[in-house]
Amino acid sequence: MAKITFVEHDGKEHSFEVENGLSVMEGAVKNMVPGIDADCGGACACATCMVYIEPEWAAKLPAVDSQEETMLSFSDHATSESRLACQIKVSAAVEGLRVKMPKSQH
Amino acid sequence: MEDIVIVGAGHAAGQAVASLRADGFTGPIRLIGDEPYLPYQRPPLSKKFLSGELDVERVYFKPPAFYEQAQVDVRLGLSVTGIDRAGHRLLTDKGEAIPYGKLILATGSRVRRLSIPGSDLVGIHYLRSIHDVEAMRAEFRPGARLVVVGGGYIGLEVAAVAAKLGLSVTVIEAADRVLARVTAPVISAFYQRVHGEEGVQIRTGLGVAGFTGVSRVEGVEVAGGEVIPADVVVVGVGILANVELAVEAGLRVEDGIVVDEFCRTDDPDILAIGDCTRHPNGIYGRTLRLESVHNALEQAKTASATLTGSLKAYVQVPWFWSDQFDLKLQIAGLSQGHDTIVVRGNPEEGRSFAVFYLKGGVLIAVDAVNRPMEFLTARQLIATHAEIAPARLADETINMKQIAG
Ligand SMILES: Cc1cc2nc3c(=O)[nH]c(=O)nc-3n(C[C@H](O)[C@H](O)[C@H](O)COP(=O)(O)OP(=O)(O)OC[C@H]3O[C@@H](n4cnc5c(N)ncnc54)[C@H](O)[C@@H]3O)c2cc1C
Ligand code: FES
């Protein structure tokens, strides 16, 4: 389990304990956090689960692979802080992670 | 406010509920599905759910609490048997009559079943539902001989998972190559090579004549009389749209329930979305019937907009994906009618390349294997009817982002 905080575009926060092994995207969907669409269900094929990770966290997460990097480079609202939430696995290592959602995934 | 009833509780229906509430619809929503499950995602059924990496909860489209929060009256295990359009009500297999104000048909599609000698033997499976996977997986023991009938995406995905689970897998395809209906020969040859490298035997140009066995299947008999021994069989030979309700209700149906770009049928109170529809596509200038998550989701959003009073025409480049082994295939557009094929990268070696399809110089589709850049760029270019010189597409020294020149 790890506590993850999802911050909506307007600043509204939602915190949940998410089970190990799920992705951050699944944690959001399961807890009905608005702002993450996840059209492909985690196949790293749609880029509609984009979130922003604060810089101090970025280095602690597993590296972005080339599939994810390319998908991100086409996402309308992506910045250098963006990740695809379906590619971040939950474990004790992400305890306390904060992710921000874009205004829209499209 | 008029109530909305959705028939069929699949991917499209789940998104319709989410969109209706997000678009501000506050009236009653009733969701009727004949499967015992809340809307779930089918793509994992031939991928990570079949392999056992995901459990049932993880394939649900939304958690059970979502439907409570959205105040949806969910009726599962209930089949709608008729639409009484004049009376604005649905008839069900339990003898109930359920009134509707507006109706959304989201009945999806079902597998085409073989009806040949032995086709009802135990151990012959089809793949459409959670239930199907559970039955099949119980028989996927390491060392078992699996014969997959049909070399389409789903058949090949099942073959890939089964090979990884340690089964001995043979795929039989009637056409002279796998994926013949949907892709260029170069893609078929590539998938045949990789499956071979991963230990799957693919045999093409071989029609199935019947199945042998007493109560349980023991073999697959192919044209010419040869019997391929089998402990388990999975058949994937295409799907049929669930249009019967619409046909009986007198709605227009042409291999798919005919809808306009706002998902409206020819009855103003009935809409249809997802796999069951035949809908216009502005980009290709013709009507389509698609079997894809993207189409199910986008039509659900379109229908919701229509019902909440803001017409937004459906204009989408179709896209689809397929995961086999370490191959992520992403497909955008429709290749039918192409006159030119351009290959970028080398499909004969390694596992990363893309194939572009052009018609009259205009890019109409891409099949990209482990090439997300090609996929995403092409998806945008297809939407704008971009004309691109084939030589540029093939030239890997030109960055995809600059490819349009
Ligand atoms: C194994 C498999 C793998 C796939 N992989 C991919 C993929 O990788 N990418 C992709 O984009 N797409 C994939 N697809 C296709 C995708 O899953 C479908 O396009 C999508 O499910 C369509 O959603 P839908 O809601 O229109 O229909 P469905 O999901 O078929 O849902 C329709 C529901 O309505 C029910 N129903 C029908 N008639 C009635 C009635 N009269 N009364 C009550 N209920 C009724 C059905 O039982 C069903 O539960 C795959 C499909 C399968 C089967
Ligand atoms: S859910 Fe589609 S890329 Fe993450």
Side-chain angles (χ1 to χ4, degrees), chain A residues 38 40-42 44-47 49 86:
Chain A
C40 75
C44 201
C46 72
C49 63
C86 69

Side-chain angles (χ1 to χ4, degrees), chain A residues 26 30 32 41 43 67 74, chain B residues 41 58 63 66 69 328 373:
Chain A
E26 288 178 282
K30 206 173 165 181
M32 299 179 284
Q67 171 85 18
F74 276 81
Chain B
Q41 312 175 63
R58 291 177 74 182
F66 165 80
Q69 195 177 32
K328 179 170 291 298
M373 184 65 88

Side-chain angles (χ1 to χ4, degrees), chain B residues 7-8 34-35 42 83 105-112 128 239-247 253 255-257 272-277 289:
Chain B
V7 178
D34 57 8
E35 288 187 67
R42 293 184 204 276
I83 308 171
L105 296 175
T107 48
S109 48
R110 62 177 180 276
V111 293
R112 196 163 79 74
R128 182 75 197 172
I239 65 159
L240 303 168
N242 291 325
V243 296
E244 289 70 14
L245 272 183
V247 171
V253 172
D255 178 31
I257 304 169
I273 58 178
D275 277 17
C276 67
T277 68
R289 186 171 65 71

Side-chain angles (χ1 to χ4, degrees), chain B residues 366-381:
Chain B
V366 65
D367 292 337
V369 178
N370 294 337
R371 290 276 180 127
M373 184 65 88
E374 279 73 356
F375 164 72
L376 289 162
T377 317
R379 202 169 98 185
Q380 292 180 345
L381 293 170

Side-chain angles (χ1 to χ4, degrees), chain B residues 163-164 193-200 325-326 351:
Chain B
K164 279 218 286 226
R193 168 170 73 81
V194 172
H195 274 266
E197 288 167 4
E198 301 283 350
V200 172
F325 308 110
D326 57 349
R351 296 185 175 190

Side-chain angles (χ1 to χ4, degrees), chain B residues 7-12 32-35 42-43 45-47 78-80 106-109 127-128 154 242 245 274-275 291-293 296 320-321:
Chain B
V7 178
H11 220 129
I32 306 173
D34 57 8
E35 288 187 67
R42 293 184 204 276
L45 300 187
S46 49
K47 308 177 183 80
L78 185 65
S79 179
V80 172
T107 48
S109 48
L127 178 45
R128 182 75 197 172
I154 291 177
N242 291 325
L245 272 183
D275 277 17
E291 301 151 22
S292 80
V293 164
F320 187 83
W321 72 94

Side-chain angles (χ1 to χ4, degrees), chain B residues 303-387:
Chain B
S304 169
T306 302
L307 289 173
T308 54
S310 59
L311 294 181
K312 283 190 199 129
Y314 173 98
V315 184
Q316 297 284 333
V317 175
W319 72 270
F320 187 83
W321 72 94
S322 173
D323 296 336
Q324 298 164 43
F325 308 110
D326 57 349
L327 311 175
K328 179 170 291 298
L329 171 64
Q330 292 171 291
I331 300 162
L334 296 167
S335 59
Q336 282 94 332
H338 67 268
D339 51 35
T340 307
I341 289 174
V342 182
V343 180
R344 184 177 173 92
N346 184 359
E348 275 145 46
E349 261 172 51
R351 296 185 175 190
S352 159
F353 68 103
V355 175
F356 299 95
Y357 301 82
L358 297 100
K359 183 181 177 183
V362 175
L363 184 64
I364 57 169
V366 65
D367 292 337
V369 178
N370 294 337
R371 290 276 180 127
M373 184 65 88
E374 279 73 356
F375 164 72
L376 289 162
T377 317
R379 202 169 98 185
Q380 292 180 345
L381 293 170
I382 292 164
T384 61
H385 301 278
E387 281 190 43

